Amino acid sequence: MTPKSMIPYGKQDINDDDINAVIDVLKSDFITQGPKVPEFEQAIAKQCQANFAIATNSATSALHIACLALGVSKGDTLWTSPISFVASSNCALYCGAKVDFVDIDIATGNLSASALRTKLEVAKKTNTLPKAIIVVHLAGNPCDMQQINALSEQYNFAVIEDASHAVGASYKNSMVGSCLYSDITIFSFHPVKIITSAEGGMALTNCPELENKMRLFRSHGITSDEAQMTEKSHGPWYYQQITLGFNYRMTELQAALGVSQSQRLTDFVEKRNELAKIYDRAFADTSIVCLTPNSDNYSAYHLYIVLLPTMSKALHKNVISSLRDKNICAHVHYIPIHLQPYYQKLGFKQGDFPFAEEYYQRAISLPLYPKLTLDEQGYIIDSVKAELTTLAQ
Ligand SMILES: *Cc1c(COP(=O)(O)O)cnc(C)c1O
């Protein structure tokens, strides 16, 4: 039976502890720049075994300050995956740098390490090596970080992990966020992501210089640390602006929600994995292809993505529309960034990244979030199977 309201593709899970944590802040002396932001930073740094974490008002801001801290600027090029949210590449443009893309591996939707190797070989010959690359752990499934890290050492570029989908995921037994294979890792706490602070993001690193720079860029380029000043402090009120920064700070309200949510991170990710396994089993004997993590990865399963057996714009659209008619909010993550009008104006065109383009015509994100009930999931599975039967006719 069709549910009364649309089953969303993702949804936050807020409990009374979360609500009370926010109310406590409202009753306290500080609603911004108090103790909750550092508490949230330390909680996430500890969970991910990273040395430093810098909270921001969004992952988009965190990506921007990460690029700035790595010195990405005019004359540089940054590479990323065409299958991501536009923020993964816009951050390079904010810095005045150029963007290019590396095609995906269609089995995972992640940036392909072998396509990266090939592109680097060519770029070395033409002297167009990237300053940095941003890898995106699509759906929460970590990229091939060992290979990417080895290439970064060979060709001397920085690596940012856009782990907006992958809070709570692990790669070869190390937490995503540990920055074992990268310079900086970015998390998003937007409500559809794994844990939420309403809006919010975080940048993690093990490098003290990068930490210091990102803190400066987050807060106007201002420091109160005398060691960083150009002259002796004038007194306890004194601060100096030593670079051009932004106001990318997170509020105490957001941080309190984040701290409270972070206590349930493990449970959320376990629940997402349980539900994903049910989908996996249900579709195992069908023509649908499930994006599955490598066996040495533990995905955070931000999304459950399936690929239709054949590439057809019309069929893809029909399947998604008819699921939506049944109140299942099937979605597509993502429209290839290089095909966005803004990026086409920069010179990208259809045909540039064929696997990303094929993926776009086959991929469907099905609802997945901790509060999805087994009844709802059963209904989704039956509806998808019914679509496949129609497709086969
Ligand atoms: C959500 C998301 C972002 C942006 O996160 P915000 O916190 O909304 O700024 C960036 N990259 C990816 C891959 C995302 O999914």
Side-chain angles (χ1 to χ4, degrees):
M1 211 181 64
T2 310
K4 281 192 221 50
S5 60
M6 189 73 98
I7 305 173
Y9 81 86
K11 187 165 128 187
Q12 70 273 21
D13 178 342
I14 302 289
N15 68 12
D16 286 344
D17 290 344
D18 297 330
I19 293 166
N20 290 329
V22 176
I23 291 172
D24 287 347
V25 168
L26 280 169
K27 291 179 176 166
S28 78
D29 290 336
F30 299 101
I31 58 175
T32 187
Q33 291 173 285
K36 281 290 164 188
V37 168
E39 188 185 333
F40 187 29
E41 291 175 338
Q42 281 148 27
I44 296 293
K46 187 162 174 246
Q47 275 178 331
C48 298
Q49 291 134 18
N51 289 347
F52 310 107
I54 297 102
T56 54
N57 56 3
S58 72
T60 304
S61 311
L63 284 162
H64 186 191
I65 60 173
C67 289
L68 289 171
L70 289 166
V72 174
S73 63
K74 199 162 183 286
D76 293 328
T77 306
L78 182 144
W79 293 0
T80 188
S81 170
I83 296 298
S84 185
F85 185 55
V86 292
S88 306
S89 64
N90 286 345
C91 54
L93 303 181
Y94 298 158
C95 301
K98 279 196 187 141
V99 173
D100 201 357
F101 300 94
V102 180
D103 211 348
I104 60 160
D105 174 352
I106 203 158
T108 59
N110 281 336
L111 179 146
S112 154
S114 67
L116 175 61
R117 180 190 306 276
T118 309
K119 198 174 171 90
L120 286 165
E121 283 163 5
V122 175
K124 183 164 172 100
K125 289 195 193 114
T126 52
N127 217 2
T128 54
L129 284 169
K131 171 95 170 183
I133 76 164
I134 297 183
V135 297
V136 182
H137 304 315
L138 189 74
N141 174 34
C143 295
D144 194 345
M145 292 312 297
Q146 267 179 349
Q147 278 206 57
I148 289 161
N149 179 53
L151 290 168
S152 81
E153 281 167 13
Q154 188 182 344
Y155 291 96
N156 194 29
F157 57 84
V159 178
I160 299 172
E161 295 174 69
D162 181 348
S164 292
H165 300 182
V167 187
S170 56
Y171 169 78
K172 293 190 194 289
N173 296 319
S174 66
M175 290 299 288
V176 168
S178 65
C179 299
L180 215 55
Y181 306 98
S182 65
D183 298 281
I184 299 170
T185 301
I186 304 299
F187 290 152
S188 171
F189 306 121
H190 181 280
V192 295
K193 308 288 164 71
I194 310 291
I195 57 171
T196 188
S197 60
E199 294 278 1
M202 210 172 271
L204 289 83
T205 185
N206 292 323
C207 168
E209 289 84 38
L210 291 175
E211 185 226 359
N212 183 42
K213 284 182 179 165
M214 290 194 285
R215 285 199 192 285
L216 279 173
F217 286 125
R218 174 182 69 177
S219 228
H220 308 280
I222 282 172
T223 183
S224 309
D225 171 13
E226 193 169 14
Q228 296 190 57
M229 293 183 187
T230 57
E231 59 178 308
K232 212 170 163 340
S233 172
H234 297 180
W237 68 89
Y238 192 62
Y239 58 82
Q240 278 191 343
Q241 184 190 346
I242 56 173
T243 187
L244 184 62
F246 303 85
N247 180 353
Y248 281 169
R249 288 189 303 261
M250 177 181 276
T251 68
E252 290 287 285
L253 303 169
Q254 293 167 313
L257 178 54
V259 169
S260 180
Q261 285 261 303
S262 70
Q263 288 156 4
R264 286 187 290 154
L265 174 59
T266 315
D267 294 344
F268 284 158
V269 175
E270 272 173 20
K271 187 73 211 268
R272 286 174 175 278
N273 272 271
E274 279 170 26
L275 293 168
K277 280 209 183 76
I278 295 174
Y279 275 137
D280 285 346
R281 279 198 294 270
F283 298 132
D285 57 355
T286 70
S287 59
I288 227 170
V289 182
C290 307
L291 295 194
T292 31
N294 295 339
S295 57
D296 50 4
N297 285 358
Y298 180 60
S299 175
Y301 271 112
H302 163 53
L303 300 169
Y304 192 85
I305 299 174
V306 297
L307 302 181
L308 292 179
T310 50
M311 181 166 64
S312 157
K313 243 185 205 161
L315 285 180
H316 185 239
K317 189 175 170 188
N318 280 350
V319 170
I320 293 173
S321 304
S322 100
L323 289 173
R324 287 195 180 205
D325 289 344
K326 294 175 180 166
N327 270 348
I328 298 167
C329 190
H331 220 296
V332 181
H333 297 89
Y334 290 92
I335 305 154
I337 300 175
H338 71 282
L339 297 181
Q340 293 289 354
Y342 186 80
Y343 280 83
Q344 295 209 30
K345 272 194 263 167
L346 298 178
F348 295 101
K349 57 186 188 310
Q350 186 82 37
D352 283 349
F353 303 98
F355 287 111
E357 291 164 23
E358 176 184 338
Y359 169 94
Y360 176 55
Q361 291 188 21
R362 293 175 59 193
I364 302 176
S365 304
L366 298 176
L368 180 64
Y369 48 90
K371 278 193 159 153
L372 183 72
T373 66
L374 291 177
D375 280 351
E376 286 167 329
Q377 197 184 20
Y379 171 74
I380 296 163
I381 289 167
D382 291 344
S383 306
V384 172
K385 284 186 169 171
E387 288 304 317
L388 290 178
T389 317
T390 319
L391 278 187
Q393 280 159 7

